[in-house]
Amino acid sequence: MSAYQLGPFVLGAPRFYAALGLVVLVLAAEVAAWRGRLVARGAEHRARAGHGEVAAPGEEEPALPAEGLETAPPSAAWAWNAALAVLVGARLGFVLENLGAFVARPLEVLQFWQGGFSPWWGVGAGALTAAWSVARRRVAVGAVALSAVLALGAWLGVPALLTPAEQQARRLPGLVLERLEGGELDLASLRGQPVVINMWATWCPPCRRELPMLASAARTYPDVRFVFADQAESREAVLAYLAERQELELPDVVLDANASLSGEFGTIGLPTTLFFDAEGNHVLTHAGELSSVLVVNYLADLRRGER
């Protein structure tokens, strides 16, 4: 599964598992804090009973002497702070790893919805935030350790459980799609060089945003074959859109009238981009809008044969 749909939103699988881990972290911390508050209330009630200050039914509880209030009530605020630190740290880590590219395009630092997170930077930032809370005695070490183990288990363990142990390597499918300008393109015939297939549609805003960047990448990397597969639209609709965007020069535009690629690879939502190595093996699916930095990284690995 390359993506998951949550109502109107589509999340790529890596983002979904990371989000699941953060949700588990916060929920585990909230449960631990709730249980801690129950224990604290029981201890407070016993302390009041020891002072002979237990209220009668319907009466307000009398104040406990100051010596009975040694610690603040348990709270899960540390987990919320740690989750935020994970998100910010993962994004900043990715920016630092690709600083040269971001210096040239600084505004792309803020375009986090396109992806671009380095998870272990985020884990480090979250761990430091949690450690700070422990050092300030805002949370017990045990509560942090249990929540962290459950969160890491959800992030790293759930994908392994949901992924079949044996999976046939996917390859460029034997699909024959109609070219926009006429004729046909057999996708299987493209083996012999890295291939990128972008699945898009004219009605899709993120598709339209990334098309100029992908067209530029196609010009920059002539050794990589780019195919732009419009999904389930008429030839007239695609021609009309490209006529309005005459500056947009897309190579190899094909019409996937029955959305066969989506069925072949089990993709959800648009845009989705498929990456294949020179042998025709499917090595990566990116669900959602691409950033130029991600494309550069993906293509560098693809051309080196590292994906």
Side-chain angles (χ1 to χ4, degrees), residues 194 221 275-278 283-284 294-307:
Y221 299 94
F275 294 81
F276 300 85
D277 64 17
V283 295
L284 176 69
L294 279 177
V295 168
V296 170
N297 288 342
Y298 288 162
L299 293 181
D301 291 346
L302 193 66
R303 294 163 80 210
R304 287 196 300 264
E306 294 182 1
R307 284 188 178 269

Side-chain angles (χ1 to χ4, degrees), residues 38-289:
L38 287 182
V39 172
R41 285 179 190 146
E44 180 181 343
H45 183 76
R46 289 191 296 272
R48 292 184 193 280
H51 284 81
E53 297 178 353
V54 178
E59 293 183 1
E60 183 178 351
E61 290 280 357
L64 190 66
E67 63 267 20
L69 302 174
E70 297 179 356
T71 58
S75 169
W78 71 269
W80 291 94
N81 293 335
L84 179 61
V86 168
L87 292 173
V88 175
R91 180 60 177 175
L92 289 179
F94 180 80
V95 171
L96 291 174
E97 290 173 354
N98 299 275
L99 191 58
F102 281 109
V103 166
R105 295 177 288 272
L107 290 181
E108 289 192 10
V109 172
L110 303 177
Q111 296 173 354
F112 57 87
W113 59 86
Q114 295 177 333
F117 295 88
S118 294
W120 290 110
W121 283 76
V123 170
L128 288 175
T129 303
W132 174 257
S133 296
V134 171
R136 297 292 299 273
R137 297 187 177 180
R138 294 175 178 172
V139 62
V141 175
V144 171
L146 178 60
S147 299
V149 167
L150 291 174
L152 288 172
W155 174 41
L156 301 175
V158 171
L161 293 175
L162 296 182
T163 301
E166 295 184 4
Q167 213 174 20
Q168 287 187 343
R170 304 299 300 276
R171 296 176 61 81
L172 274 167
L175 292 177
V176 178
L177 300 179
E178 187 179 1
R179 293 179 181 272
L180 182 64
E181 69 275 14
E184 295 179 333
L185 175 64
D186 182 356
L187 297 181
S189 69
L190 302 180
R191 295 169 188 164
Q193 65 181 126
V195 176
V196 176
I197 300 179
N198 178 250
M199 299 159 61
W200 68 290
T202 63
W203 50 263
C204 166
C207 300
R208 296 197 297 263
R209 284 196 300 267
E210 72 178 6
L211 281 177
M213 179 271 297
L214 290 173
S216 176
R219 294 190 296 271
T220 304
Y221 299 94
D223 57 324
V224 179
R225 186 73 173 267
F226 281 75
V227 177
F228 295 85
D230 180 86
Q231 298 297 290
E233 291 189 294
S234 67
R235 179 191 300 273
E236 291 73 20
V238 179
L239 286 172
Y241 173 75
L242 294 179
E244 294 175 359
R245 302 283 301 277
Q246 294 186 3
E247 75 285 357
L248 187 60
E249 298 180 4
L250 299 180
D252 285 324
V253 179
V254 296
L255 303 172
D256 187 3
N258 299 316
S260 300
L261 281 168
S262 295
E264 185 78 16
F265 290 93
T267 61
I268 303 173
L270 297 176
T272 296
T273 308
L274 309 171
F275 294 81
F276 300 85
D277 64 17
E279 286 71 44
N281 298 314
H282 173 226
V283 295
L284 176 69
T285 294
H286 182 95
E289 186 176 354

Side-chain angles (χ1 to χ4, degrees), residues 5-38:
Q5 186 165 7
L6 304 174
F9 302 103
V10 176
L11 285 179
R15 294 192 217 181
F16 174 81
Y17 297 132
L20 179 62
L22 293 180
V23 169
V24 169
L25 175 72
V26 171
L27 286 179
E30 289 285 2
V31 170
W34 172 74
R35 293 184 63 185
R37 287 192 291 270
L38 287 182

